[in-house]
Structures are given as structure tokens and as C-alpha cells.
Amino acid sequence: MASEKHILLIGAGELGTAFLPHLSELPDTHVIVGVRTPSKYSQLAGPNISLTSLDTTGPSDELAQNFAKYDVVISATGFGQAAGIVTKLAKEILEAGKLRKQAGQGKLWFFPWQWGVDYDITGDGQGLMPLFGEQKDVRDLLRAEAAGAYVKWTVMSTGIFMSFLFEQFWGIVDRQGDNITVRALRDWDHKVTVTDVQDIGKILSRVVAEDMEAENRVIYSAGDTVSYAQLADIVERVTGKAVVREEWTIQHLEKELAKEPDNLIKKYRLVFARDGVWWDKKLTVNHKLGVPVTDVETYAKGLFGA
Ligand SMILES: NC(=O)c1ccc[n+]([C@@H]2O[C@H](COP(=O)([O-])OP(=O)(O)OC[C@H]3O[C@@H](n4cnc5c(N)ncnc54)[C@H](OP(=O)(O)O)[C@@H]3O)[C@@H](O)[C@H]2O)c1
């Protein structure tokens, strides 16, 4: 019998809870969910799911020793981490890999928190998004040091979560009573890649199961890649109503941000109007593996009850 694989899933929020059912279905696998307050999440425990108390802000030497106990570490701690925490985690993982090597165990497989845009392209969003810049630094650190540290890493770029595209506060599909406005970031031909969080979990578990060509690489997922014009057409088809179309050019987004320079959503919009937020679905790992995923039209039908 194959020996059991131990997966540490850090975080059980929107993303972690979406990953859990898919990871726990893998054969010969035990998933350990690491959160600050396990008692808050006791309903998640199951035959091959347990909870452990873990705080990523804790002392590095203790965390490295803890991480060395696992075959796979997946970070789903959310985006609201303090500056420096994603780098600290990557360094602890590199240390944990060395400990595993000394103990004669297999390489540690690490999925950092990079479930979003392509940080190699966005960089720090021309100074607007220090955390995006730190994500790029984490990639560079892993590229430079993982091999010697006995760690393999996989970054999965997922684009925006599908739910996020339709959030009212995001302002792209803006519902006011019976009226809907769809707004384009940059122009109507500009595109955006989105993946539903459940699908991210499904794709991730296939990648982990098949140990396919994901070693030390950035891989991409996409439930869909649509232009803003296509998004407006989809909303019209699904709701059966004409939508108001409004273009938010880069110049407009810059002016809006200048009025409120600390507004995070305005920063996101401007960065997303630039580059690194879309890729061709044919290049994605879900396309290569034939994983069925939800596209924007199907998601919108569910959302609008069509
Ligand atoms: N690609 C995208 O579209 C994108 C990118 C970024 C963010 N978002 C949005 O941001 C939201 C975040 O979702 P998410 O699942 O990433 O995060 P989340 O729902 O905020 O969950 C974060 C999880 O991490 C745990 N956690 C937080 N700090 C921790 C620490 N120091 N040590 C250990 N565990 C810790 C939390 O548990 P405790 O607090 O109980 O410990 C919680 O279980 C979503 O609404 C999403 O739409 C989207």
C-alpha cells in the first residue's frame, strides 16, 4: 500500500474550505487544516481531515520544524496578511525542506498564496501594490533557492475569483434595482481571467494527484477568459435586459485614484486595467488535464437565477 500523504492546508476561509473537499478525496491522503483557532472550524474535521493550531506570525524556527512534518504545504491564508508574512512563510518552507533532507524524507511540495493574477507581469503595480511586489519576490526567492533547499514549488495563477467579478463593491457588474451597468477596465477589448474557487480546488487536487509537470513552475488556471464586451453581452443574454455600458479608461481610473489615493479597490482597478490579469484558456492546466470548469455565462445564470 502507498504510504499516506500528509497535506497541510493553511487557512480555512473562502479558498481553504473550497479546497478541502477536493483534497480530502485524494486516495491515501490526510489533510491537516492549520488555523489560529481550530475550535472555530471543528465542523470541518472528518475521517481523513484534522485540525491543528497554527499561526503564520509565530516564531520561524518552530514553524519550519512543524512544516517539515508534511509532504505538501498549501497556503490559503487570505490576502489580508501583514507585510513580510508571505516571504517569512517561503523562507520557513525552504528551511523545512532542509530538515526533511537531513531526515531522509522526500522533498517538501509548496503551493504559496499566489491564487490570483500573474505577479511576474504586474510586479508591484507600478508602486501601487506592495503586496503584489512581495508575491513577485517570493517567486524569485523560490526560483533561486528551492532546488538547494530540497523544496519543489508550484505557483497557480487563477486570475480573479469568479465571485469577485460580480461583487457589487468591485463595480464592474453594478446592479441598482432593475438597472445593470457593466463597466470595462481600460477598454471593451481588454480581458480578464476568472476561476471559480471550487474549480481552483478541483484543479489543485488533480495537480497534486498526478504529480504532473508542475515542479518549480508557474501554472495557470481559467474558468474563463472574457473581454469586458463579452462580459456585458453575457449579462444581457442571461438577464434578458439591456445593460448600460461604461468604459473606465486608464486615465479615468488614475483620476479617480488621485481623489482617494488610499482606496484599495481603486488601486486594484487601475492595476487590473493594465497587464497580467488574463491568459488564454488553452494554455491552462485545466485545459491540458481536461478538468471541467464553470464558465462566466454558467456562473452568471446561477447568480441571476436564469
Ligand atoms: N484572486 C482573487 O480574486 C482574490 C485575491 C485576493 C483576495 N480575494 C478575496 O479575498 C477574500 C479572501 O478569501 P481567502 O480564502 O483567501 O481568505 P479568508 O476567507 O479571509 O480566509 C483566511 C483564512 O486564513 C486563516 N488565517 C488568517 N491569518 C492566519 C494566520 N496568521 N495563521 C494561520 N491562519 C490564518 C483564517 O483563519 P482564522 O482567522 O480563524 O485564524 C481563515 O481561515 C475572498 O473574499 C476573495 O474574494 C480574491
Side-chain angles (χ1 to χ4, degrees), residues 208-259:
V208 172
E210 302 193 12
D211 214 342
M212 32 108 38
E213 289 167 36
E215 180 160 351
N216 302 345
R217 282 183 52 192
V218 179
I219 58 174
Y220 296 85
S221 78
D224 219 339
T225 294
V226 290
S227 69
Y228 287 97
Q230 286 169 326
L231 176 64
D233 292 346
I234 288 169
V235 175
E236 286 195 335
R237 262 200 307 278
V238 165
T239 60
K241 289 182 201 148
V243 301
V244 177
R245 296 179 190 230
E246 194 180 332
E247 196 175 58
W248 277 348
T249 62
I250 288 188
Q251 203 187 20
H252 167 83
L253 293 166
E254 283 170 347
K255 272 195 201 148
E256 280 299 309
L257 180 60
K259 288 183 208 161

Side-chain angles (χ1 to χ4, degrees), residues 10-16 34-37 40-41 54-57 76-81 85 113 115-117 119 158-164 167 169 268 272:
I10 312 176
E14 183 180 359
L15 209 50
V35 279
R36 288 174 293 190
T37 322
K40 249 171 68 184
Y41 300 91
L54 190 150
D55 186 344
T56 55
T57 62
T77 50
F79 214 62
Q81 301 283 296
I85 291 292
W113 204 110
W115 319 97
V117 300
Y119 302 109
T158 60
I160 302 173
F161 301 167
M162 190 89 75
S163 53
F164 197 91
E167 290 283 2
F169 67 80
Y268 267 110
F272 286 14

Side-chain angles (χ1 to χ4, degrees), residues 86-87 89-91 93-94 110-114 135-149 151-155 216-217:
V86 292
T87 310
L89 177 62
K91 288 182 176 165
I93 291 287
L94 294 173
F110 178 44
F111 289 81
W113 204 110
Q114 299 252 347
Q135 305 282 39
K136 162 86 170 83
D137 294 344
V138 165
R139 291 178 179 204
D140 291 341
L141 176 72
L142 294 171
R143 285 178 179 123
E145 296 192 27
V151 165
K152 69 174 179 176
W153 57 270
T154 303
V155 160
N216 302 345
R217 282 183 52 192

